[in-house]
Amino acid sequence: MDRQAEIQDAAEAPPELGVLFVHGIGSQKRGDTLLQCGEPLRLWLKEWLAGSRSSGGVAEFDVTLSGTHLRRCEEGERAGTLLTVEGRAGDARTSRAWLLAESWWAEDFPTPSFRTLARWSLLAGPWLVQRHFTLRFVGSPPKSFAQEGREARAYVAKYVPLEGTVQDVFKVLAWILSYVLPPLRRVVAYLLSFVVGLVAQVAIALLVVLSVVPALRGIVQRIQLLLSESIGDSFALTDQPLVFDAMVSRVQSDVEWLAGRCERVAVVAHSQGAAIAHAALRRSRPENMSLFVTYGAGIAKLSAIRGLDLKRAGTSFGTRLLAVLSLAGAVALCYADRVAFAIALFLAAFGLGWISEKLRPPEPESPGSRLGLPELGDSLRWIDLFATADPVPEGTLARPPRRGLISQPVHNRGSSFSDHTTYWQNTEEFVSRVSAELAREAGWTEYARLTEEDRKVTAAAEHARRSRTDSLTLARWILGLVLIGVPFALGVEALAHLARNTGDLAARVPGIFSDSAQRAVQDFSRDDLAGRVLGVVVAAAVVTAVSMLVLLPTWRGWDERARRALVGRRPADPRVPWSVRLAMCVPVLAWIPVFRHGAAAAVVLGFIAAVFVVPILLSGGDGARGVQAALLVHARDTLVQQVAVPLPTRFEESNQLALDVCDETAWVGGGPTGELVRVDLATGQARVTDVGERIHAVRAGSDAVWVTTDDSLVQIDPGAVAEGSLDAVVGRYLLEPGLGDVVEGGAGVLWVAAERSSTVLRVDRGTGRVDAVVAMPEQPIGMVALDGDVWVLSPKSQTLSRIDPLMNAIAESIDLHAVPFGRPVVTPEAIWIYDMQGALVRVDRGTTPAAVGKAVRMRLPMLGGIAAHADDVWFVDGWKQRAIEVVGGEKRRELNLKARGQEIALTSSRICTVICGGAR
């Protein structure tokens, strides 16, 4: 028996959980994956439990490792370690043991020769690059220009809370840019994809040619080996079935090995290792294997490569290359006054481009039903995490949605070059999520209770993580603009001067370059076209190196401070530190030589620098507006204020307050604060209940109040809240991430919108079990139950859809020609919908086809809520700080809220509005 088995026998019980880490493509050595994944997991558990002392969790603990094997393993052993956590919570002592092991399949196939790999890369490489850029910047399937324009205008209407002339200026700019930027972005994406694909193809071809030069053969062979050990894995997975079967068999054997030594088993797989593990689990799955976690999964990418016609892809790209060369020749002939030959080459380029498009291979089919795993959703859960800029996963796997599969984005670095390898450096969204899923699978109640109490802290940390990633992305954009602008602004003389200095420096530094290389650099740095190109390369390299050397350590320090705040149960500071702001502006220092060498461009570049730098330096974090959040209650007949109930202080920081009323009682949810406030409308008495998680929606009933959080449906007992009981939460049902609105349907049925997966879940009210999943247009939000059916709004598709509960499918879909916001409301004659573009949309009931019209139009976007009771309709105009009544499709009475209103609800005699001075 191996060492792990001896440890298990000594402990007199098998570990509660076995975790198998499956590596992706690359040149991993035995034990590397265990070290890369196991150490961040151990460190997180240790630091998270250390922070639990202040919250009444585990008072004493000890995280230990034993029986660790990395490089040297005897026959039948795997690289692994036994992670043990011993702690005391109150008077109870607990001991948890996890067996962490590695599935190492890198040795199961021979490294392909570079000649074979080069041919495959020359055909498939450019197509893969173009596909990545298309998915990254255009989307798949691409959105229409009209849809992108509507989204741009809705973004301005929602996130620019300005009034008067300034708001009008932003609306005009948004209207203009919505027609200019989408096609421009698409053209730039296609051009970049072609250029990068061409560079990759030329680079691989050069490696083949340079390999015959004796002086360069050693360097070229090392590069070829690196490519063979990385790209070669993808080649083996697609074009060598025997090798792929060996990889799958290895992972399958490792899963069975671990299943025989642990009570339960979880598989955590990365990149193409996820595709191998997926194939292994489709063949067979041990009964005690119940959790499958994939991150940066290459399942869709592998399916796309397998469906690619390589000859057609290579021919298409080669034809396009000839078209580009013909176009370049036509331009050169124009400068040489050979117009007739230039026209001929131009026509040839046009014809070759047309042929290239005709030869381009069709888009491969999505994995679809091939994603299915035995008993997925019953005894097996699949959590798929993918970084937003990771080029390998190609977005969510949950298309179409399927039961038991949760596919969720995370934010690593926002870079296509580093997102794929930095998952375990993302503490807030990845490491904490994976550890929580593993703890839940192991039945670790202490850890589960601890994470539930601190979910609002982790939710705030996830939001701060996204803000940090956005700051890093903005810094790259600034650097890119500098790299584009500086060479043109410096001028020919400055670039030639820079090239000559580079050649002199290369000649003066002995030992770094060979004599032949020094002479080549000196010859290249002459005052001609080659010298200018060298000047551009040197300028770009210097600016990039200096900027990254300053920015990356500063950003990592900011990220480390946020991680320490998370494990210490402290809210992360949303403000961008001054050190990071200054580091983001470092590339602008490269414009200093412009004022010496390019006076004509100095004014333009100075203006651009001011536009980018000043907002960065002056931007603060999300701050309060100085108006306390409150629930205002007015009489409907006289509009006299009856009650003003102050809400908890942290409600001021939220733009996601939920409101609903039932039986003269109002319920207000505090968004990321996780607090639910019950207000007696007659007396103004308020009681606060801590739901423990970020609140997305509240739906009040006479016997239950339903709350949706990030991934759970929570049932609240209204009577227990009224009595001040601490046990008001009577049910908590884990569904999936990205939940939205909730509505009660027929007897014993709840409908829950799942925005991330673009579905609506039919949930059994008594058990919390998902009985059906209805696929919807993109990102369903507000819902309303009417005559047994459920009506659902989808802002991205601008539709109102009706779900038939008998068929659990969409029975009707109405195009609103508007951007809906919030929940729809119902009167006896119509369904009323809030339009973010500045109108109320009325959908008449009982007409076929449904009549859709704009009942009330506003000059400015409103950004508020809408409510109805009987025939009465009121809405909130957030910017005007008014609540407005609508009668017969016209505005009537107005209620001055004297602050920005967010939500509104009506009872038979009262108007309830929530005002908030929170951040945007």
Side-chain angles (χ1 to χ4, degrees), residues 338-353:
R338 302 291 183 88
V339 179
F341 291 102
I343 294 176
L345 279 180
F346 179 80
L347 294 176
F350 179 81
L352 289 171

Side-chain angles (χ1 to χ4, degrees), residues 489-501:
L490 285 176
V492 175
E493 294 182 2
L495 292 176
H497 178 72
L498 186 60
R500 286 194 298 270
N501 289 341

Side-chain angles (χ1 to χ4, degrees), residues 36-37 40-41 268-271 293-298 384-395 408-413 415 418-434 465 559:
Q36 179 189 16
C37 305
L41 183 62
V268 180
H270 178 228
S271 188
V293 178
T294 56
Y295 60 101
D384 175 61
L385 304 174
F386 60 94
T388 52
D390 189 345
V392 175
E394 297 190 354
Q408 180 179 352
V410 298
H411 302 76
N412 292 346
R413 300 287 177 84
S415 169
S418 60
D419 261 19
H420 190 62
T421 57
T422 52
Y423 284 92
W424 287 101
Q425 299 174 28
N426 184 349
T427 304
E428 295 87 348
E429 293 181 307
F430 183 78
V431 180
S432 60
R433 174 66 185 275
V434 172
R465 175 81 193 189
D559 190 63

Side-chain angles (χ1 to χ4, degrees), residues 736-754:
E736 64 175 74
L739 299 182
D741 199 10
V742 57
V743 65
E744 295 193 55
V749 175
L750 294 170
W751 297 89
V752 182

